[in-house]
Amino acid sequence: MTRNTPTAAPPAAARFAAAPTAPRRRPAPGQYAVWAVIAMLTLAPLVPLVITSFLSKPYYLPGGVFSTDAYRQLFADAAFRRAAWNTVVFAVTATALAVLLGAAFAVLITRTNLPGRRPLGHALPAPLLIPPLGLIVGWESLYGPAGYLTQLWSKNLHLPAWNLTSLPGMSVLGAVVTLPIAYLTCKAVLDSADGTLEDAVRACGGGTLRVLTTATVPMLRTALLDSGLLIFTLCLEVLGIPLFLGRPANIQFIASYLYDTWSGSSLPDPPVVSAGAILLLVVASALLVVRGRLLRHSARYTSGTRATPPARPLDLGRWRIPAVVGMAGFVGLTCLIPLLGLVLMSSVTDLTTLVAPWHLWTAANWDQIWTDPTLHRSITDSLTVAAVGSAATVALVALATVIAHHSGFRLRRTLPALLVYPRATPGIVFGVGFFWLFLIVDWPGALLRNSLWGELLALSVRNMTLAYIVLAPALARISPELAKAAAASGASWWTTTRRVTLPLLRPALLSALVLMFVTLVSDYDPVVFLAKPGTELLGTTMLQTWSKGLPGPVAAMALVQVLLVAVALAAGLGWTLRKKGRHA
């Protein structure tokens, strides 16, 4: 890729670029209905959240008046100020580590002669596929203050140990969880970048370090900014890490502060929680706006020629073996070994270095999750939510995506923003918003408030962005000429969508379905305020069971999550391979 200055396009080319990519047709009534549903699902939970944050009493109590007391109380609370500071320190540290390591790994995989690049490149995104609570529990079982490896390192080998329950320790885990975002973003840029500039630097006598500093790293400026802002926003809403690891050290983040305030308040549903959720929403929205403004001109600096990889990869020389050992060790220590720790914790009475694990082997933890009605119901409920929610969400988002990019609907340009915004909003904010929405809107709120379907709705709306980011690029590769041909034959927009566009999107629809299923099985933030006895999900039940001091059953449930994710991914991969085999 070369750093080109913007040049004026010829008038004809400019007219072609400005031409519509889809045939202009008269909007169908169903398009308005799809837009209305997307807009309502995205924005409706935020309206009651704003209203309740400015009430002097919870909505359900009489005598409430407009007041800013909740915000004053929030800022006057020293615990909230400490939680906000801890959140900022955690987000900055985790973001810096994730971006630096993710970019370094992307360069090593795509631009060097590192041995084993292909398997290591497939292994690095693993934290995105492992349920977050499962990864946290696995880390705690091995690297926590009483973890197996911590005991082995400090007590048996008498060496200074790390402290996972400190802010630096939690930041390292936060970086591991979010590193795949930076890695995949930087890798995508490098894969599509023209390598002739790197070849030119090498031809002028530049060594590996000079090629990296003058050509490769500058290509990644936009990717580093994009992934950094996204990771920082995600770190602001982290809930599982402070609840599992921060409580022993009395370290709270904003999300855990709001959760504990809601759970421990003598007054149910205090307005201060709504005020805190609004503050998180404002910060996340501001970061989203800043990201958009900083990246709006990034498309101007692109290569004018077809992207080609460098003529030969950068030679790591004597650093080849240390680099591959370090990367493989990183994958093993951060993902594979914690999964092994999860297996051990779920199968022993106590994970300790004083007694060999096989002497403490037990099936009690697994028996409990099958015999305890709450634990067992959380598994079946999560399966129901994941199966129904993924199918319904992908169907709705597929229609909205086609309307946004392959129709003449007048409001189509608002759909991408509506589809992306839920994922940019902290999950805990959506949870509080849906709680108040179900309470204020009597119908169908009364039906959804204490049912599994309300939780399904909150999780699906929060994660529908993921379906969109899979379907939109796939739709961009479908020529609008097909729709024009169908229109010339007299087919309506809906007929063209049903018979032409959606069948061509079938592989992307499957990918979106698998991704949504995996996410709905693993996610929990949006429903921590909605779960009631009889509507438990895996994530919320794991939080409650952990707070009771029962790590064994929590580890077993985390492994169930991992197994469900593995089965879904294997099924999706198997279907894809069968389709490729038929077309071979």
Side-chain angles (χ1 to χ4, degrees):
M1 181 179 69
T2 57
R3 193 183 306 168
N4 298 331
T5 56
T7 56
R15 288 195 299 270
F16 180 78
T21 60
R24 301 296 187 202
R25 301 178 182 177
R26 185 176 181 180
Q31 294 176 349
Y32 285 100
V34 172
W35 180 89
V37 170
I38 294 292
M40 182 181 63
L41 291 176
T42 303
L43 302 178
L46 306 181
V47 176
L49 187 62
V50 175
I51 295 174
T52 55
S53 71
F54 286 101
L55 291 179
S56 58
K57 295 181 180 180
Y59 173 82
Y60 52 80
L61 293 180
V65 296
F66 177 85
S67 172
T68 59
D69 288 346
Y71 290 92
R72 288 198 294 266
Q73 179 183 347
L74 196 66
F75 287 114
D77 190 353
F80 174 77
R81 295 197 298 270
R82 285 195 302 271
W85 173 252
N86 291 338
T87 303
V88 171
V89 172
F90 168 83
V92 170
T93 307
T95 300
L97 288 174
V99 170
L100 289 175
L101 289 175
F105 290 159
V107 171
L108 287 172
I109 293 296
T110 60
R111 286 296 194 262
T112 70
N113 60 347
L114 182 78
R117 294 189 300 274
R118 186 181 297 273
L120 285 174
H122 292 322
L124 284 171
L128 287 180
L129 304 177
I130 301 174
L133 289 184
L135 194 61
I136 294 171
V137 174
W139 269 62
E140 201 281 336
S141 67
L142 293 178
Y143 307 129
Y148 190 83
L149 293 182
T150 305
Q151 295 179 46
L152 182 65
W153 185 267
S154 61
K155 296 182 180 179
N156 293 33
L157 301 180
H158 305 289
L159 295 172
W162 51 84
N163 183 7
L164 185 62
T165 59
S166 64
L167 265 179
M170 289 188 284
S171 299
V172 170
L173 178 54
V176 169
V177 173
T178 54
L179 179 145
I181 297 174
Y183 166 74
L184 293 173
T185 304
C186 294
K187 184 177 182 296
V189 171
L190 292 175
D191 284 339
S192 61
D194 190 1
T196 55
L197 181 59
E198 294 162 296
D199 290 335
V201 176
R202 188 185 291 110
C204 294
T208 298
L209 184 60
R210 188 166 184 80
V211 172
L212 289 174
T213 56
T214 61
T216 307
V217 173
M219 294 179 189
L220 296 176
R221 287 175 180 171
T222 300
L224 295 176
L225 178 63
D226 187 12
S227 60
L229 285 173
L230 177 58
I231 291 172
F232 185 85
T233 304
L234 294 176
C235 287
L236 294 179
E237 61 174 273
V238 166
L239 178 61
I241 290 177
L243 287 183
F244 278 78
L245 303 178
R247 275 177 172 171
N250 196 27
I251 297 176
Q252 283 193 325
F253 295 171
I254 293 178
S256 62
Y257 170 88
L258 298 178
Y259 176 82
D260 289 339
T261 301
W262 182 289
S263 304
S265 175
S266 57
L267 180 66
D269 324 322
V272 69
V273 174
S274 296
I278 288 296
L279 291 178
L280 269 181
L281 178 63
V282 170
V283 172
S285 300
L287 289 172
L288 189 65
V289 172
V290 170
R291 175 176 174 268
R293 292 183 65 85
L294 291 176
L295 298 177
R296 61 181 175 176
H297 300 307
S298 61
R300 293 184 179 182
Y301 304 95
T302 56
S303 173
T305 60
R306 183 173 61 88
T308 57
R312 56 189 174 88
L314 298 175
D315 185 15
L316 294 177
R318 61 181 180 178
W319 293 103
R320 292 177 72 239
I321 301 304
V324 71
V325 170
M327 192 178 295
F330 176 85
V331 173
L333 289 173
T334 58
C335 296
L336 299 181
I337 294 179
L339 284 179
L340 177 60
L342 205 59
V343 174
L344 288 176
M345 179 177 280
S346 68
S347 305
V348 297
T349 55
D350 186 24
L351 189 59
T352 174
T353 57
L354 301 177
V355 183
W358 50 86
H359 293 311
L360 300 174
W361 205 263
T362 180
N365 297 324
W366 289 96
D367 289 339
Q368 185 171 350
I369 68 172
W370 299 120
T371 57
D372 188 308
T374 299
L375 304 187
H376 181 70
R377 185 168 53 244
S378 69
I379 298 174
T380 57
D381 286 350
S382 291
L383 276 173
T384 301
V385 166
V388 178
S390 59
T393 304
V394 170
L396 177 63
V397 173
L399 290 176
T401 304
V402 177
I403 292 172
H405 299 285
H406 272 208
S407 79
F409 181 56
R410 67 182 63 184
L411 299 175
R412 67 188 182 280
R413 299 185 187 277
T414 63
L415 279 172
L418 290 172
L419 290 168
V420 169
Y421 194 68
R423 193 65 187 182
T425 304
I428 198 169
V429 172
F430 256 99
V432 179
F434 270 106
F435 174 87
W436 287 117
L437 180 65
F438 295 157
L439 189 65
I440 293 174
V441 181
D442 186 61
W443 193 94
L447 299 176
L448 297 173
R449 187 164 58 244
N450 296 314
S451 73
L452 188 64
W453 306 112
E455 298 174 35
L456 183 152
L457 181 63
L459 285 169
S460 298
V461 173
R462 156 72 171 156
N463 293 293
M464 66 181 180
T465 303
L466 301 178
Y468 174 71
I469 63 176
V470 172
L471 295 175
L475 183 63
R477 293 193 292 269
I478 298 177
S479 172
E481 298 299 325
L482 297 174
K484 292 180 180 180
S489 302
S492 66
W493 181 87
W494 284 103
T495 301
T496 303
T497 299
R498 187 177 71 255
R499 294 192 174 185
V500 178
T501 308
L502 292 181
L504 291 174
L505 279 177
R506 195 170 295 160
L509 290 171
L510 175 67
S511 298
L513 189 66
V514 172
L515 180 59
M516 281 297 301
F517 183 92
V518 168
T519 303
L520 294 181
V521 164
S522 307
D523 200 10
Y524 60 94
D525 289 14
V527 295
V528 292
F529 299 123
L530 299 175
K532 300 290 189 299
T535 64
E536 298 88 352
L537 298 178
L538 271 170
T540 56
T541 303
M542 289 167 66
L543 289 176
Q544 296 166 0
T545 307
W546 183 270
S547 65
K548 297 176 183 178
L550 300 173
V554 173
M557 285 188 287
L559 272 182
V560 171
Q561 274 188 321
V562 172
L563 292 174
L564 291 176
V565 168
V567 169
L569 293 175
L573 180 61
W575 186 89
T576 303
L577 293 177
R578 285 197 301 272
K579 293 295 288 185
K580 287 183 178 180
R582 292 176 184 174
H583 294 293

